[in-house]
Amino acid sequence: GAGVSQSPSNKVTEKGKDVELRCDPISGHTALYWYRQSLGQGLEFLIYFQGNSAPDKSGLPSDRFSAERTGGSVSTLTIQRTQQEDSAVYLCASSSRQGEQYFGPGTRLTVT
Amino acid sequence: AQTVTQSQPEMSVQEAETVTLSCTYDTSESDYYLFWYKQPPSRQMILVIRQEAYKQQNATENRFSVNFQKAAKSFSLKISDSQLGDAAMYFCAYRSGDTLAGSYQLTFGKGTKLSVIP
């Protein structure tokens, strides 16, 4: 079956602009995660969605970051007023509630 | 908070030889899972192997095996008969098994870049 897909694959934006990153999880997976992979920080957890429960936002680095998951499926990560330090690869993963996480190919964000 | 440490930023191995990647972790939990993920240049994170902390037997997946030392909090990955396609970044990751914790996010090490020499 289809894996996790993410779009766009690459995004270049100017400092101060807003960006939206999209994740399509594996069909039937109730859990969805966003991670950020940057050169200096490695892989960091950002946010977690599980079914209809309130999301775990404990990893979001600032209030410029937000995410939503509509209809328990597609998720969008929004970064407002982008800064150069936001440049990174943003990875999405999905799983059954306690199962292994399957990752998408990521979105490489470059803020100029 | 849990931490995962990979002390080898880079490793190399001759094709067909064996290599071991190191990982240590710190946790106060008794129920958890450990994983090794592979990330080739395509950026796709691929699960290589998983280990449940309550299992004493080391996990094995074809040419990949782990040496899980729970008391020492060590979780190394052994790759046997290395192939050119094994060249990638390898990440060790920890996940809580406590359902009350709510989230099952992974905590990753910094990674080890593995090169395979023909």
Side-chain angles (χ1 to χ4, degrees):
Chain A
V4 178
S5 61
Q6 292 186 245
S7 60
S9 178
N10 293 282
K11 176 73 176 178
V12 180
T13 190
E14 292 180 353
K15 178 182 172 181
K17 301 277 191 180
D18 297 352
V19 295
E20 287 188 351
L21 312 180
R22 177 187 168 103
C23 172
D24 279 276
I26 292 172
S27 177
H29 278 184
T30 57
L32 187 147
Y33 304 79
W34 283 97
Y35 295 89
R36 179 170 70 175
Q37 185 174 21
S38 52
L39 278 176
Q41 302 298 323
L43 274 147
E44 307 168 279
F45 164 75
L46 296 177
I47 189 168
Y48 160 73
F49 295 91
Q50 171 56 49
N52 295 321
S53 302
D56 176 358
K57 304 179 182 180
S58 60
L60 294 178
S62 78
D63 59 8
R64 296 186 295 104
F65 288 72
S66 63
E68 62 178 21
R69 189 178 184 191
T70 53
S73 180
V74 172
S75 177
T76 302
L77 176 69
T78 301
I79 309 173
Q80 295 178 311
R81 306 180 302 282
T82 52
Q83 304 295 313
Q84 288 188 329
E85 61 262 28
D86 299 335
S87 295
V89 174
Y90 290 82
L91 293 166
C92 175
S94 72
S95 74
S96 57
R97 188 169 190 277
Q98 293 190 38
E100 279 88 4
Q101 294 179 31
Y102 293 86
F103 284 79
T107 294
R108 181 180 296 280
L109 175 66
T110 303
V111 182
T112 61
Chain B
Q2 294 79 31
T3 58
V4 178
T5 302
Q6 293 179 250
S7 58
Q8 305 153 317
E10 295 187 25
M11 292 279 287
S12 62
V13 62
Q14 205 77 30
E15 194 175 4
E17 296 296 310
T18 296
V19 65
T20 298
L21 308 184
S22 301
C23 172
T24 58
Y25 59 95
D26 189 25
T27 184
S28 59
E29 298 176 330
S30 58
D31 182 21
Y32 53 88
Y33 297 80
L34 296 165
F35 305 85
W36 279 97
Y37 279 88
K38 169 185 177 182
Q39 187 181 41
S42 66
R43 296 199 307 246
Q44 186 87 43
M45 294 282 280
I46 302 164
L47 178 64
V48 174
I49 199 164
R50 67 175 268 173
Q51 175 80 44
E52 293 88 341
Y54 63 85
K55 288 187 177 179
Q56 292 187 349
Q57 186 172 7
N58 290 323
T60 299
E61 286 287 339
N62 301 313
R63 298 182 295 107
F64 299 87
S65 62
V66 299
N67 183 5
F68 174 47
Q69 302 288 328
K70 191 172 183 178
K73 295 179 180 172
S74 171
F75 182 61
S76 61
L77 174 70
K78 185 171 82 171
I79 306 174
S80 303
D81 185 25
S82 297
Q83 300 175 0
L84 295 177
D86 295 334
M89 283 291 289
Y90 285 82
F91 292 93
C92 179
Y94 172 102
R95 198 204 84 187
S96 172
D98 180 6
T99 57
L100 296 179
S103 175
Y104 296 101
Q105 74 262 31
L106 296 167
T107 300
F108 288 90
K110 297 285 190 187
T112 297
K113 183 177 181 180
L114 178 67
S115 301
V116 180
I117 303 164

